[in-house]
Amino acid sequence: MFEAYEADGFFDEMFAGNGEVRSHYRALLSRFSAFPPEDFEARRASCDQHFLRQGVTFNVYHDDRGTERIFPFDPVPRVIPADEWDHLEAGLTQRIIALNLFLHDIYHEQHILRDGIIPRFYIEEAKHYRPEFRGMKVPKDIYIHICGSDLIRGGDGTYYVLEDNGRCPSGASYLLENRNALKRAFPSLFESLGVRSVDAYPRELLEMLHHVSPHREGEPVCVLLTPGCYNSAYFEHCYLAREMGIEIVEGRDLVVMDDFVYMRTTKGLVRVDVIYRRIDDDFLDPTVFRKDSVLGVPGIMRAYQAGNVALANAVGTGVADDKVIYYFVPKIIEYYLGQDPILPNVPTYLASEESDRKYILENLKDLVVKAANESGGYGMLMGPSASSEEIAKFKDKIIEDPRNFIAQPVVSLSRSPTWCEGNMEGRHIDLRPYIIYGNDVKIVPGGLTRVALRKGSLVVNSSQGGGSKDTWVLK
């Protein structure tokens, strides 16, 4: 299957530059080479059947082919050796601790602004900054309880953090189902190759929710708040609620009385202690945020501010999601922890800085330009592949609203062998590990490896034609 495989030109996860197989992939390659292509394809098809039976789907808005589709899956796993994972784990732990200290600071004393580390207007003009919640104490002083930081590898194999997702990061259910599908397709591989389990994620997620519960006797009542069945990640909402053994609710299932949140049930009202919310701030409470929201719960912010219910993630974490604030994360780590960042950022230019803006506008054809608060591959310009009309349009947008844009050099993402219609070919990948911050920091060993299935593409988002792989961290 690998006879015609080309590993030149990029950092390849399986093969070194001289064509030699990397040591942590040798056992996997030996096993896979024993499968005839027809047998391998049959096993790949069985993964698709598993996803179909389990309803592992995602939704794409504004698509003529329909909204709901099976999540594309490649059966060739990404393999990470133990020492490499230890490095990533240390860097991600450092990062989430620093981001939580930063969020606590900007919603209280704002030392980092007073000391001039971050110009004040970057915070005050951030789309998801919530100044009305300054001074509010959140349970256990934790703001980001679940984070999905996207990692990429450059041409020399160095890991970089591409962005942090600290509001409502999605994808953990696909990580778990990818593992289940591959176990069924290749049942003998995992134990013999020493792959670490990811099965503890739902339990650790529930333990974190219990940890941030307001003080109350008995086991906390936790619920997962979903926007409903038309949301792009609704499968995941149902999956995680089921795996944790908690109720999944919509806004209409909850009611606020005397600054407490209650769930409507067939046996009457049940008080709720913790809400794992998969709804953005803007839609949580129509009496505080968007008045036209029918997804949230009127009065829920009163209960939250009174300390009678915990929200994971906390309100206002989106300011740390802002791609402009991403630029300052290395400084945030140094300021709060007195440490150098273990995982570097991708070099980034701020369009709101005059010298950076001049450079960006003169080099749009060579850069990746991103809107500060878009996600899913939207609001982005890939300069090298963009038309002159697209470049001109983005130039006007940058000039009109420079605070809303950053630019980065094109990073040649690492490639991994991917099964493409009967052939093994290299495709670009990234990695989204999932970090849980409760009593301590826990990171599921692996994460969601996303793959750009279109040849030559660097866009791995599922809404833009990407798929995923299982991620193996070796013991």
Side-chain angles (χ1 to χ4, degrees):
M1 292 189 293
F2 288 87
E3 285 182 0
Y5 185 81
E6 297 178 359
D8 298 334
F10 301 92
F11 183 91
D12 192 273
E13 296 288 339
M14 183 179 282
F15 296 96
N18 59 4
E20 184 179 344
V21 181
R22 300 187 191 278
S23 59
H24 52 284
Y25 269 98
R26 285 175 188 157
L28 175 68
L29 180 62
S30 174
R31 294 295 189 89
F32 273 10
S33 297
F35 292 110
E38 299 79 13
D39 186 14
F40 193 84
E41 172 59 26
R43 291 170 186 262
R44 186 209 61 79
S46 74
C47 294
D48 285 349
Q49 287 298 313
H50 169 78
F51 289 137
L52 185 64
R53 288 192 300 270
Q54 297 297 318
V56 183
T57 60
F58 69 102
N59 295 346
V60 178
Y61 306 125
H62 313 300
D63 194 303
D64 294 336
R65 292 175 292 173
T67 57
E68 193 172 34
R69 63 186 65 168
I70 296 173
F71 199 73
F73 175 70
D74 179 69
V76 185
R78 178 204 200 129
V79 182
I80 300 176
D83 58 341
E84 203 170 279
W85 178 250
D86 290 344
H87 172 72
L88 297 180
E89 200 169 40
L92 293 169
T93 300
Q94 178 195 58
R95 200 168 179 99
I96 195 171
I97 291 172
L99 287 174
N100 272 284
L101 292 171
F102 162 71
L103 287 165
H104 183 273
D105 187 20
I106 64 166
Y107 284 113
H108 290 83
E109 296 85 3
Q110 298 191 334
H111 293 303
I112 197 167
L113 305 186
R114 294 175 184 173
D115 291 342
I117 305 300
I118 301 177
R120 182 174 295 274
F121 86 96
Y122 279 127
I123 300 297
E124 294 178 346
E125 295 187 11
K127 179 180 178 181
H128 298 291
Y129 176 55
R130 305 296 182 191
E132 59 268 43
F133 289 95
R134 269 199 70 188
M136 179 186 162
K137 181 174 175 59
V138 300
K140 306 296 192 294
D141 287 332
I142 301 173
Y143 286 79
I144 300 178
H145 308 86
I146 309 107
C147 185
S149 294
D150 293 340
L151 307 179
I152 60 174
R153 295 185 92 168
D156 61 352
T158 300
Y159 279 98
Y160 295 91
V161 179
L162 185 62
E163 63 181 52
D164 300 290
N165 297 281
R167 279 178 290 167
C168 303
S170 62
S173 62
Y174 304 117
L175 174 162
L176 299 171
E177 278 301 318
N178 284 353
R179 178 61 55 88
N180 289 336
L182 215 56
K183 278 183 176 179
R184 286 174 170 82
F186 302 97
S188 63
L189 285 181
F190 290 87
E191 287 302 320
S192 60
L193 298 184
V195 181
R196 290 180 62 182
S197 172
V198 297
D199 295 342
Y201 180 81
R203 185 187 72 247
E204 292 171 349
L205 185 58
L206 182 61
E207 288 173 353
M208 177 275 295
L209 297 178
H210 285 182
H211 175 70
V212 299
S213 171
H215 295 295
R216 183 182 171 197
E217 294 181 2
E219 185 171 301
V221 175
C222 305
V223 299
L224 189 153
L225 177 59
T226 176
C229 62
Y230 296 107
N231 183 263
S232 61
Y234 184 66
F235 161 77
E236 171 157 300
H237 303 166
C238 297
Y239 182 93
L240 291 178
R242 183 177 70 245
E243 292 296 309
M244 287 189 286
I246 66 176
E247 297 292 337
I248 182 170
V249 298
E250 296 182 26
R252 59 191 175 183
D253 300 318
L254 302 178
V255 61
V256 177
M257 297 171 59
D258 299 324
D259 293 345
F260 288 91
V261 180
Y262 295 89
M263 171 173 52
R264 293 185 172 98
T265 75
T266 56
K267 297 180 180 179
L269 297 178
V270 174
R271 182 178 152 190
V272 174
D273 300 300
V274 185
I275 299 174
Y276 175 26
R277 51 101 173 201
R278 299 298 296 261
I279 295 179
D280 283 342
D281 292 356
D282 287 340
F283 301 97
L284 264 178
D285 188 337
T287 67
V288 177
F289 303 120
R290 284 185 54 161
K291 304 273 189 289
D292 60 343
S293 172
V294 295
L295 303 176
V297 185
I300 195 173
M301 287 298 101
R302 291 200 317 272
Y304 181 53
Q305 288 180 298
N308 294 329
V309 69
L311 297 177
N313 288 341
V315 171
T317 58
V319 67
D321 253 15
D322 191 304
K323 291 179 176 61
V324 171
I325 303 305
Y326 159 89
Y327 170 89
F328 293 99
V329 173
K331 295 182 179 180
I332 288 171
I333 292 171
E334 293 167 9
Y335 183 80
Y336 293 109
L337 301 180
Q339 302 170 356
D340 292 330
I342 296 172
L343 296 174
N345 276 13
V346 174
T348 302
Y349 304 95
L350 301 180
S352 50
E353 298 292 329
E354 186 175 351
S355 59
D356 282 10
R357 182 168 63 253
K358 183 174 184 293
Y359 177 82
I360 292 169
L361 295 175
E362 291 175 354
N363 295 276
L364 281 174
K365 67 181 186 304
D366 300 318
L367 298 170
V368 179
V369 181
K370 301 176 182 177
N373 292 286
E374 295 287 348
S375 59
Y378 297 106
M380 184 170 71
L381 175 78
M382 295 291 293
S385 59
S387 66
S388 55
E389 291 80 8
E390 290 171 326
I391 290 175
K393 186 183 294 185
F394 257 81
K395 188 173 185 178
D396 292 339
K397 289 181 179 179
I398 293 169
I399 293 171
E400 181 181 349
D401 185 13
R403 164 62 179 83
N404 193 42
F405 292 94
I406 66 164
Q408 297 169 329
V410 177
V411 179
S412 298
L413 308 186
S414 64
R415 291 200 312 190
S416 176
T418 303
W419 186 247
C420 302
E421 298 180 355
N423 297 302
M424 204 66 76
E425 300 179 6
R427 292 291 186 269
H428 294 290
I429 58 173
D430 77 352
L431 175 64
R432 177 177 290 184
Y434 292 89
I435 309 128
I436 297 173
Y437 194 177
N439 188 43
D440 53 10
V441 177
K442 295 181 179 178
I443 305 175
V444 61
L448 183 67
T449 291
R450 301 183 299 177
V451 54
L453 295 175
R454 296 171 184 162
K455 189 170 185 175
S457 174
L458 295 172
V459 182
V460 299
N461 307 83
S462 57
S463 57
Q464 308 292 319
S468 69
K469 292 171 169 283
D470 192 14
T471 308
W472 293 5
V473 173
L474 301 182
K475 297 176 183 177

PDB file of all heavy atoms in Angstrom, residues 125 351-352 357 360-361 364 369 391-405:
ATOM      1  N   GLU A 125     -12.252  46.331  23.344  1.00  0.00           N
ATOM      2  CA  GLU A 125     -12.897  46.222  22.039  1.00  0.00           C
ATOM      3  C   GLU A 125     -13.046  44.779  21.576  1.00  0.00           C
ATOM      4  O   GLU A 125     -13.508  44.530  20.460  1.00  0.00           O
ATOM      5  CB  GLU A 125     -12.127  47.030  20.992  1.00  0.00           C
ATOM      6  CG  GLU A 125     -12.143  48.534  21.259  1.00  0.00           C
ATOM      7  CD  GLU A 125     -11.521  49.323  20.123  1.00  0.00           C
ATOM      8  OE1 GLU A 125     -11.282  48.731  19.050  1.00  0.00           O
ATOM      9  OE2 GLU A 125     -11.257  50.521  20.314  1.00  0.00           O
ATOM     10  N   ALA A 351      -3.168  43.554  12.453  1.00  0.00           N
ATOM     11  CA  ALA A 351      -3.523  44.581  11.476  1.00  0.00           C
ATOM     12  C   ALA A 351      -3.764  45.931  12.129  1.00  0.00           C
ATOM     13  O   ALA A 351      -3.713  46.966  11.457  1.00  0.00           O
ATOM     14  CB  ALA A 351      -4.765  44.147  10.687  1.00  0.00           C
ATOM     15  N   SER A 352      -4.029  45.951  13.427  1.00  0.00           N
ATOM     16  CA  SER A 352      -4.269  47.218  14.120  1.00  0.00           C
ATOM     17  C   SER A 352      -2.974  47.961  14.454  1.00  0.00           C
ATOM     18  O   SER A 352      -3.002  49.132  14.837  1.00  0.00           O
ATOM     19  CB  SER A 352      -5.063  46.974  15.402  1.00  0.00           C
ATOM     20  OG  SER A 352      -4.468  45.942  16.163  1.00  0.00           O
ATOM     21  N   ARG A 357       0.275  46.320   9.834  1.00  0.00           N
ATOM     22  CA  ARG A 357      -0.761  46.482   8.807  1.00  0.00           C
ATOM     23  C   ARG A 357      -0.138  46.782   7.442  1.00  0.00           C
ATOM     24  O   ARG A 357      -0.563  46.249   6.417  1.00  0.00           O
ATOM     25  CB  ARG A 357      -1.734  47.594   9.209  1.00  0.00           C
ATOM     26  CG  ARG A 357      -2.871  47.799   8.201  1.00  0.00           C
ATOM     27  CD  ARG A 357      -3.974  48.681   8.746  1.00  0.00           C
ATOM     28  NE  ARG A 357      -3.532  50.033   9.041  1.00  0.00           N
ATOM     29  CZ  ARG A 357      -3.347  50.531  10.252  1.00  0.00           C
ATOM     30  NH1 ARG A 357      -3.540  49.768  11.317  1.00  0.00           N
ATOM     31  NH2 ARG A 357      -2.945  51.783  10.427  1.00  0.00           N
ATOM     32  N   ILE A 360       1.171  43.552   6.123  1.00  0.00           N
ATOM     33  CA  ILE A 360       0.077  42.659   5.720  1.00  0.00           C
ATOM     34  C   ILE A 360      -0.482  43.073   4.365  1.00  0.00           C
ATOM     35  O   ILE A 360      -0.645  42.241   3.453  1.00  0.00           O
ATOM     36  CB  ILE A 360      -1.042  42.659   6.792  1.00  0.00           C
ATOM     37  CG1 ILE A 360      -0.555  41.998   8.073  1.00  0.00           C
ATOM     38  CG2 ILE A 360      -2.275  41.932   6.270  1.00  0.00           C
ATOM     39  CD1 ILE A 360      -1.499  42.192   9.248  1.00  0.00           C
ATOM     40  N   LEU A 361      -0.787  44.350   4.226  1.00  0.00           N
ATOM     41  CA  LEU A 361      -1.419  44.829   2.985  1.00  0.00           C
ATOM     42  C   LEU A 361      -0.493  44.669   1.785  1.00  0.00           C
ATOM     43  O   LEU A 361      -0.961  44.457   0.659  1.00  0.00           O
ATOM     44  CB  LEU A 361      -1.833  46.294   3.140  1.00  0.00           C
ATOM     45  CG  LEU A 361      -2.930  46.559   4.184  1.00  0.00           C
ATOM     46  CD1 LEU A 361      -3.183  48.057   4.334  1.00  0.00           C
ATOM     47  CD2 LEU A 361      -4.224  45.844   3.804  1.00  0.00           C
ATOM     48  N   LEU A 364      -0.345  40.311   1.096  1.00  0.00           N
ATOM     49  CA  LEU A 364      -1.539  39.479   1.261  1.00  0.00           C
ATOM     50  C   LEU A 364      -1.453  38.168   0.495  1.00  0.00           C
ATOM     51  O   LEU A 364      -1.954  37.136   0.955  1.00  0.00           O
ATOM     52  CB  LEU A 364      -2.784  40.264   0.831  1.00  0.00           C
ATOM     53  CG  LEU A 364      -3.338  41.268   1.845  1.00  0.00           C
ATOM     54  CD1 LEU A 364      -4.469  42.084   1.232  1.00  0.00           C
ATOM     55  CD2 LEU A 364      -3.825  40.554   3.094  1.00  0.00           C
ATOM     56  N   VAL A 369      -4.805  35.247   6.319  1.00  0.00           N
ATOM     57  CA  VAL A 369      -5.461  36.311   7.083  1.00  0.00           C
ATOM     58  C   VAL A 369      -6.707  35.730   7.734  1.00  0.00           C
ATOM     59  O   VAL A 369      -7.481  35.014   7.103  1.00  0.00           O
ATOM     60  CB  VAL A 369      -5.840  37.502   6.175  1.00  0.00           C
ATOM     61  CG1 VAL A 369      -6.496  38.610   7.001  1.00  0.00           C
ATOM     62  CG2 VAL A 369      -4.604  38.030   5.466  1.00  0.00           C
ATOM     63  N   ILE A 391      -8.460  38.795  -2.711  1.00  0.00           N
ATOM     64  CA  ILE A 391      -7.431  39.580  -2.021  1.00  0.00           C
ATOM     65  C   ILE A 391      -7.858  41.032  -1.902  1.00  0.00           C
ATOM     66  O   ILE A 391      -7.710  41.663  -0.842  1.00  0.00           O
ATOM     67  CB  ILE A 391      -6.084  39.453  -2.758  1.00  0.00           C
ATOM     68  CG1 ILE A 391      -5.533  38.026  -2.588  1.00  0.00           C
ATOM     69  CG2 ILE A 391      -5.085  40.478  -2.251  1.00  0.00           C
ATOM     70  CD1 ILE A 391      -4.263  37.758  -3.371  1.00  0.00           C
ATOM     71  N   ALA A 392      -8.416  41.580  -2.965  1.00  0.00           N
ATOM     72  CA  ALA A 392      -8.867  42.974  -2.940  1.00  0.00           C
ATOM     73  C   ALA A 392      -9.983  43.167  -1.919  1.00  0.00           C
ATOM     74  O   ALA A 392     -10.022  44.181  -1.202  1.00  0.00           O
ATOM     75  CB  ALA A 392      -9.343  43.392  -4.337  1.00  0.00           C
ATOM     76  N   LYS A 393     -10.877  42.193  -1.830  1.00  0.00           N
ATOM     77  CA  LYS A 393     -11.987  42.287  -0.882  1.00  0.00           C
ATOM     78  C   LYS A 393     -11.467  42.277   0.561  1.00  0.00           C
ATOM     79  O   LYS A 393     -11.904  43.058   1.402  1.00  0.00           O
ATOM     80  CB  LYS A 393     -12.943  41.122  -1.098  1.00  0.00           C
ATOM     81  CG  LYS A 393     -14.213  41.192  -0.248  1.00  0.00           C
ATOM     82  CD  LYS A 393     -15.085  39.971  -0.455  1.00  0.00           C
ATOM     83  CE  LYS A 393     -15.626  39.902  -1.866  1.00  0.00           C
ATOM     84  NZ  LYS A 393     -16.571  38.762  -2.032  1.00  0.00           N
ATOM     85  N   PHE A 394     -10.497  41.393   0.840  1.00  0.00           N
ATOM     86  CA  PHE A 394      -9.948  41.334   2.195  1.00  0.00           C
ATOM     87  C   PHE A 394      -9.134  42.584   2.517  1.00  0.00           C
ATOM     88  O   PHE A 394      -9.118  43.043   3.664  1.00  0.00           O
ATOM     89  CB  PHE A 394      -9.090  40.077   2.370  1.00  0.00           C
ATOM     90  CG  PHE A 394      -9.781  38.996   3.134  1.00  0.00           C
ATOM     91  CD1 PHE A 394     -10.691  38.163   2.518  1.00  0.00           C
ATOM     92  CD2 PHE A 394      -9.545  38.826   4.485  1.00  0.00           C
ATOM     93  CE1 PHE A 394     -11.352  37.169   3.216  1.00  0.00           C
ATOM     94  CE2 PHE A 394     -10.193  37.831   5.207  1.00  0.00           C
ATOM     95  CZ  PHE A 394     -11.102  37.007   4.577  1.00  0.00           C
ATOM     96  N   LYS A 395      -8.485  43.134   1.523  1.00  0.00           N
ATOM     97  CA  LYS A 395      -7.726  44.370   1.746  1.00  0.00           C
ATOM     98  C   LYS A 395      -8.647  45.479   2.226  1.00  0.00           C
ATOM     99  O   LYS A 395      -8.335  46.204   3.178  1.00  0.00           O
ATOM    100  CB  LYS A 395      -7.022  44.777   0.453  1.00  0.00           C
ATOM    101  CG  LYS A 395      -6.055  45.943   0.611  1.00  0.00           C
ATOM    102  CD  LYS A 395      -5.273  46.170  -0.676  1.00  0.00           C
ATOM    103  CE  LYS A 395      -4.227  47.253  -0.477  1.00  0.00           C
ATOM    104  NZ  LYS A 395      -3.413  47.465  -1.699  1.00  0.00           N
ATOM    105  N   ASP A 396      -9.812  45.599   1.591  1.00  0.00           N
ATOM    106  CA  ASP A 396     -10.785  46.611   2.002  1.00  0.00           C
ATOM    107  C   ASP A 396     -11.286  46.347   3.419  1.00  0.00           C
ATOM    108  O   ASP A 396     -11.467  47.280   4.213  1.00  0.00           O
ATOM    109  CB  ASP A 396     -11.971  46.636   1.030  1.00  0.00           C
ATOM    110  CG  ASP A 396     -11.579  47.155  -0.351  1.00  0.00           C
ATOM    111  OD1 ASP A 396     -10.546  47.836  -0.443  1.00  0.00           O
ATOM    112  OD2 ASP A 396     -12.309  46.859  -1.324  1.00  0.00           O
ATOM    113  N   LYS A 397     -11.523  45.071   3.738  1.00  0.00           N
ATOM    114  CA  LYS A 397     -12.004  44.729   5.081  1.00  0.00           C
ATOM    115  C   LYS A 397     -10.974  45.094   6.147  1.00  0.00           C
ATOM    116  O   LYS A 397     -11.329  45.609   7.215  1.00  0.00           O
ATOM    117  CB  LYS A 397     -12.305  43.225   5.163  1.00  0.00           C
ATOM    118  CG  LYS A 397     -13.539  42.777   4.396  1.00  0.00           C
ATOM    119  CD  LYS A 397     -13.735  41.271   4.581  1.00  0.00           C
ATOM    120  CE  LYS A 397     -14.978  40.775   3.849  1.00  0.00           C
ATOM    121  NZ  LYS A 397     -15.156  39.307   4.018  1.00  0.00           N
ATOM    122  N   ILE A 398      -9.702  44.832   5.868  1.00  0.00           N
ATOM    123  CA  ILE A 398      -8.642  45.122   6.832  1.00  0.00           C
ATOM    124  C   ILE A 398      -8.524  46.624   7.057  1.00  0.00           C
ATOM    125  O   ILE A 398      -8.393  47.091   8.203  1.00  0.00           O
ATOM    126  CB  ILE A 398      -7.302  44.533   6.349  1.00  0.00           C
ATOM    127  CG1 ILE A 398      -7.376  43.004   6.363  1.00  0.00           C
ATOM    128  CG2 ILE A 398      -6.145  45.025   7.214  1.00  0.00           C
ATOM    129  CD1 ILE A 398      -6.219  42.329   5.657  1.00  0.00           C
ATOM    130  N   ILE A 399      -8.586  47.386   5.987  1.00  0.00           N
ATOM    131  CA  ILE A 399      -8.483  48.846   6.112  1.00  0.00           C
ATOM    132  C   ILE A 399      -9.675  49.398   6.897  1.00  0.00           C
ATOM    133  O   ILE A 399      -9.531  50.297   7.723  1.00  0.00           O
ATOM    134  CB  ILE A 399      -8.403  49.491   4.709  1.00  0.00           C
ATOM    135  CG1 ILE A 399      -7.075  49.099   4.033  1.00  0.00           C
ATOM    136  CG2 ILE A 399      -8.532  51.008   4.803  1.00  0.00           C
ATOM    137  CD1 ILE A 399      -6.985  49.500   2.581  1.00  0.00           C
ATOM    138  N   GLU A 400     -10.851  48.826   6.677  1.00  0.00           N
ATOM    139  CA  GLU A 400     -12.059  49.310   7.329  1.00  0.00           C
ATOM    140  C   GLU A 400     -12.090  48.964   8.819  1.00  0.00           C
ATOM    141  O   GLU A 400     -12.525  49.764   9.648  1.00  0.00           O
ATOM    142  CB  GLU A 400     -13.292  48.703   6.644  1.00  0.00           C
ATOM    143  CG  GLU A 400     -14.607  49.161   7.233  1.00  0.00           C
ATOM    144  CD  GLU A 400     -15.802  48.509   6.543  1.00  0.00           C
ATOM    145  OE1 GLU A 400     -15.597  47.874   5.486  1.00  0.00           O
ATOM    146  OE2 GLU A 400     -16.918  48.639   7.062  1.00  0.00           O
ATOM    147  N   ASP A 401     -11.604  47.768   9.190  1.00  0.00           N
ATOM    148  CA  ASP A 401     -11.684  47.319  10.591  1.00  0.00           C
ATOM    149  C   ASP A 401     -10.413  46.557  10.961  1.00  0.00           C
ATOM    150  O   ASP A 401     -10.432  45.331  11.124  1.00  0.00           O
ATOM    151  CB  ASP A 401     -12.926  46.440  10.783  1.00  0.00           C
ATOM    152  CG  ASP A 401     -13.137  46.033  12.232  1.00  0.00           C
ATOM    153  OD1 ASP A 401     -12.488  46.626  13.125  1.00  0.00           O
ATOM    154  OD2 ASP A 401     -13.951  45.115  12.480  1.00  0.00           O
ATOM    155  N   PRO A 402      -9.287  47.254  11.128  1.00  0.00           N
ATOM    156  CA  PRO A 402      -8.016  46.552  11.367  1.00  0.00           C
ATOM    157  C   PRO A 402      -7.998  45.756  12.668  1.00  0.00           C
ATOM    158  O   PRO A 402      -7.307  44.737  12.756  1.00  0.00           O
ATOM    159  CB  PRO A 402      -6.984  47.690  11.390  1.00  0.00           C
ATOM    160  CG  PRO A 402      -7.767  48.934  11.636  1.00  0.00           C
ATOM    161  CD  PRO A 402      -9.100  48.707  11.022  1.00  0.00           C
ATOM    162  N   ARG A 403      -8.757  46.181  13.702  1.00  0.00           N
ATOM    163  CA  ARG A 403      -8.774  45.443  14.974  1.00  0.00           C
ATOM    164  C   ARG A 403      -9.272  44.018  14.799  1.00  0.00           C
ATOM    165  O   ARG A 403      -8.961  43.122  15.598  1.00  0.00           O
ATOM    166  CB  ARG A 403      -9.664  46.193  15.981  1.00  0.00           C
ATOM    167  CG  ARG A 403     -10.116  45.411  17.233  1.00  0.00           C
ATOM    168  CD  ARG A 403      -8.948  44.973  18.082  1.00  0.00           C
ATOM    169  NE  ARG A 403      -9.351  44.255  19.288  1.00  0.00           N
ATOM    170  CZ  ARG A 403      -9.651  42.961  19.348  1.00  0.00           C
ATOM    171  NH1 ARG A 403      -9.618  42.216  18.251  1.00  0.00           N
ATOM    172  NH2 ARG A 403      -9.975  42.386  20.486  1.00  0.00           N
ATOM    173  N   ASN A 404     -10.012  43.766  13.749  1.00  0.00           N
ATOM    174  CA  ASN A 404     -10.671  42.478  13.576  1.00  0.00           C
ATOM    175  C   ASN A 404      -9.850  41.473  12.785  1.00  0.00           C
ATOM    176  O   ASN A 404     -10.345  40.388  12.473  1.00  0.00           O
ATOM    177  CB  ASN A 404     -12.028  42.669  12.883  1.00  0.00           C
ATOM    178  CG  ASN A 404     -12.895  41.437  12.952  1.00  0.00           C
ATOM    179  OD1 ASN A 404     -12.975  40.771  13.986  1.00  0.00           O
ATOM    180  ND2 ASN A 404     -13.539  41.084  11.834  1.00  0.00           N
ATOM    181  N   PHE A 405      -8.589  41.779  12.470  1.00  0.00           N
ATOM    182  CA  PHE A 405      -7.828  40.862  11.619  1.00  0.00           C
ATOM    183  C   PHE A 405      -6.402  40.655  12.116  1.00  0.00           C
ATOM    184  O   PHE A 405      -5.769  41.570  12.643  1.00  0.00           O
ATOM    185  CB  PHE A 405      -7.793  41.370  10.173  1.00  0.00           C
ATOM    186  CG  PHE A 405      -9.125  41.320   9.488  1.00  0.00           C
ATOM    187  CD1 PHE A 405      -9.955  42.439   9.472  1.00  0.00           C
ATOM    188  CD2 PHE A 405      -9.569  40.153   8.894  1.00  0.00           C
ATOM    189  CE1 PHE A 405     -11.195  42.392   8.855  1.00  0.00           C
ATOM    190  CE2 PHE A 405     -10.807  40.100   8.275  1.00  0.00           C
ATOM    191  CZ  PHE A 405     -11.628  41.224   8.266  1.00  0.00           C
TER     192      PHE A 405
END
